Amino acid sequence: MSNDAPINDLDVSTPGDLVFDAPLGSETVLIVDDEPLVLRLCCSILARQGYHVLGAGSAQEALQFCEKGARELHLLLSDIIMPNLRGIDLAARVSMIYPEIRILFMSGFDGREIPEYETLRSRAKLIPKPFTARELLIAVRAALDNPAGM
C-alpha cells in the first residue's frame, strides 16, 4: 500500500482484522490531521475496532463534513497544530454545529505548551504523540464515555 493513497482507498472497513485489547466501538469519529500518514493510521485503527470514521486532512475539510450534516458525529479527534485553522479553533466551530460532540486532541506538544488548551482542559482531552494503537483506542473510548463534552 502506498503512503500516498487517499483515505477513501484504504481497506479499513473490516472490524476485527487487528486484535487490540480495547473495547469495540460503533460511534462516528471525525479525525483531522494534516499529516497524511497519521490520518490514515488513526482512521485504520479506529475503523478496524468498529468505529465509523471520517478522515479530513485539514480543518477546512472537516468543517465541510460538519456543514453537510450528513451524519451524527460523536467525537472530534483533531491535531492541535495545523495550518490555517488550529484544532482548538476547529473544535469551537464544530461544537457549535454538534453541541454534544466529544473532543479529543492529539499533539506532539504537551498541553502546557499550548496556552489555549488550558482553558479547554475540563472539556477536552489530549493524547500526546506519538501513541500506540492501544493508547489511541483507550483515549477515544474514554473521551466518548466522558459525559462532559465541549
Side-chain angles (χ1 to χ4, degrees):
M1 169 177 14
S2 164
N3 285 345
D4 296 329
I7 192 65
N8 294 338
D9 292 347
L10 295 177
D11 180 15
V12 295
S13 60
T14 310
D17 284 352
L18 299 177
V19 178
F20 295 115
D21 183 22
L24 294 175
S26 60
E27 295 90 347
T28 301
V29 181
L30 174 56
I31 305 169
V32 188
D33 200 303
D34 60 319
E35 278 293 322
L37 184 58
V38 173
L39 176 62
R40 283 195 302 274
L41 190 58
C42 289
C43 287
S44 179
I45 290 167
L46 292 178
R48 290 178 185 206
Q49 202 70 9
Y51 293 96
H52 302 279
V53 297
L54 298 170
S58 69
Q60 290 78 9
E61 187 180 354
L63 286 172
Q64 289 174 356
F65 280 131
C66 294
E67 289 165 357
K68 287 180 186 174
R71 59 168 61 189
E72 184 178 6
L73 294 179
H74 300 98
L75 177 69
L76 172 65
L77 171 61
S78 178
D79 192 8
I80 292 180
I81 308 298
M82 295 185 291
N84 301 317
L85 186 65
R86 297 172 310 152
I88 289 172
D89 300 320
L90 171 64
R93 291 177 64 179
V94 169
S95 66
M96 288 172 40
I97 300 168
Y98 295 94
E100 300 298 317
I101 197 164
R102 305 294 196 265
I103 307 295
L104 176 60
F105 292 119
M106 52 185 162
S107 181
F109 298 97
D110 102 14
R112 292 172 298 193
E113 297 173 17
I114 305 164
E116 298 90 341
Y117 177 70
E118 287 302 315
T119 63
L120 298 174
R121 191 177 206 97
S122 66
R123 299 179 304 187
K125 304 300 178 204
L126 174 69
I127 182 172
K129 292 179 184 178
F131 46 78
T132 66
R134 186 172 190 283
E135 289 167 337
L136 174 63
L137 291 168
I138 289 169
V140 164
R141 187 75 260 153
L144 285 165
D145 292 343
N146 180 359
M150 183 163 190

